[in-house]
Amino acid sequence: MKRLRWLWMLLMLLVIVLAGGWWLTPQHRQIVVSPEDPAIAAMLKDPAVIAKGRYLATAGDCTSCHTVRGGEPYAGGRMLPTPFGNIPAPNITPDADTGIGQWNFSDFWRALHEGIGRSGEPLYPAFSYTSFTKVTRDDAIAMFAYLRSLQPVHQSNAPLQLHFPYNQRSALTGWRAVYFKAGVYQADPSKSASWNRGAYLVQGLGHCNECHAARDAWGGLSANTALSGGRIPEQDWYAPDLSMQANGGLQGWSKQDIVDVLKTGQAAKGAAVGPMADVVASSTQYLHDDDLQAIADYLLSLPARATPVPMQASFDGKSLADRGNAVYAERCADCHGKNGAGIPGVYPPLDNNTSVVEPTGINAMRVVLLGGFPPVTAGNPRPYSMPPYAQQLSDADVAAVVTYIRQAWSNHASAVQERDVATYRHTPID
């Protein structure tokens, strides 16, 4: 069935690319500048609405994608890597020529809610409208008010760097038919107000599923894999399963652990590293405590996962683990302890650590090679960091010590291979 589905999508893609380009011709992309609705225009100038929008834009972590390293906030320019090529994040400051200065709220709402650009073009889902469609209209007005309040930055948007046929926007019609359904979040009356708030933030503004779920060959997400963990395309990090129930990626975590890691970047069960450290630094540390509690309430309700398949003996995993024990004793035990328990609030535990035992081993390999750097937050302004060992340890040593920690104590994850370490050794951090 899966193969038939892919063949059908490929056929649809080719047909749309060849025959569907007509509606993106200039006459179909003519922009009509409409006056803003007077009621909305008044809201866009309301300081309280603008302040609310700032908070919501922070919750959505908009600045991370729409700000190039060292650049002006929200002025765009950052290249978002995908398996199909790179997509530049646009300038969303209110500059009239290069930003959203000529947009009205209906333009913004259509982009956020429907994934359709101001010219009527379908937007690439690197802009996570598949999640943002759940944002309410009032919240969208507040976000637009905040963006319109920013200092305009004149910075032209970079061209797309997508391969053919993915650079043909008409090809998105078939993709959207399969993977996208517009719709504002609908509260579940059987759940508490806190649960519904958490679901709204996780499913919508927080767009957590965009990283924490596996994507198929077309870059789509399946509803039955929501928040169950997945490799982040082109970044070589693994975003773990977020279930706190049996066999979930966060099994054994408490609600307070969730709040702590989102607020400070560090909890009793582990620390945020890699892309999640950036999310904490620029977004979640600023969320109100009741919103963090709401997120924890929602994650606590995620279902238990299937019992994992028992680890199969692979190549010479035991020999690797034995060698890794020696490396661990020399390089790691002083901080993380002989029993892998770490030091609370200082060095994270390795025993039953989500990043250590995730299915692929990518996170542990990258941290050993490149170091572990929790985010600097108001609640943890001087976090302890782990130095990189890329220069001190060979690929064989890294494979050995990672295999050891993935199988020591109560950990029962699979071994990793030397060839995998060689791959991730040369993967850029950002």
Side-chain angles (χ1 to χ4, degrees), residues 268-395:
K269 293 292 185 180
V273 294
M276 192 62 205
D278 296 335
V279 172
V280 173
S282 59
S283 176
T284 62
Q285 70 161 314
Y286 301 108
L287 297 187
H288 301 154
D289 287 347
D290 55 351
D291 276 345
L292 295 175
Q293 288 285 348
I295 290 172
D297 281 337
Y298 175 68
L299 295 184
L300 186 62
S301 74
L302 294 179
R305 306 304 189 189
T307 303
V309 177
M311 185 181 62
Q312 301 296 316
S314 59
F315 42 101
D316 193 3
K318 185 179 185 306
S319 176
L320 261 184
D322 289 343
R323 176 178 178 177
N325 189 358
V327 177
Y328 182 86
E330 180 183 356
R331 302 281 186 172
C332 316
D334 285 349
C335 293
H336 295 287
K338 294 180 179 179
N339 60 357
I343 299 176
V346 182
Y347 304 120
L350 301 181
D351 186 20
N352 197 30
N353 183 306
T354 300
S355 288
V356 169
V357 298
E358 52 85 7
T360 65
I362 291 174
N363 292 354
M365 284 185 279
R366 295 207 71 188
V367 168
V368 171
L369 287 168
L370 304 175
F373 302 97
V376 174
T377 61
N380 190 18
R382 299 183 66 185
Y384 288 87
S385 299
M386 173 179 161
Y389 283 99
Q391 301 302 317
Q392 288 78 32
L393 298 179
S394 66
D395 293 346

Side-chain angles (χ1 to χ4, degrees), residues 143-229:
M143 293 172 68
F144 187 57
Y146 169 63
L147 294 176
R148 290 295 298 267
S149 75
L150 297 174
Q151 182 69 31
V153 178
H154 188 84
Q155 179 169 294
S156 298
N157 295 317
L160 286 170
Q161 297 180 4
L162 291 174
H163 317 304
F164 181 84
Y166 310 108
N167 58 355
Q168 305 298 305
R169 286 186 184 268
S170 54
L172 287 170
T173 302
W175 190 94
R176 289 166 60 93
V178 176
Y179 296 111
F180 175 58
K181 182 178 180 181
V184 170
Y185 175 78
Q186 300 298 313
D188 184 342
S190 70
K191 303 292 187 180
S192 69
S194 179
W195 184 95
N196 274 292
R197 176 65 174 175
Y200 175 68
L201 290 171
V202 170
Q203 296 177 19
L205 272 176
H207 58 288
C208 304
N209 201 50
E210 304 294 333
C211 286
H212 289 272
R215 293 182 181 273
D216 63 21
W218 299 100
L221 296 167
S222 173
N224 59 11
T225 63
L227 303 175
S228 62

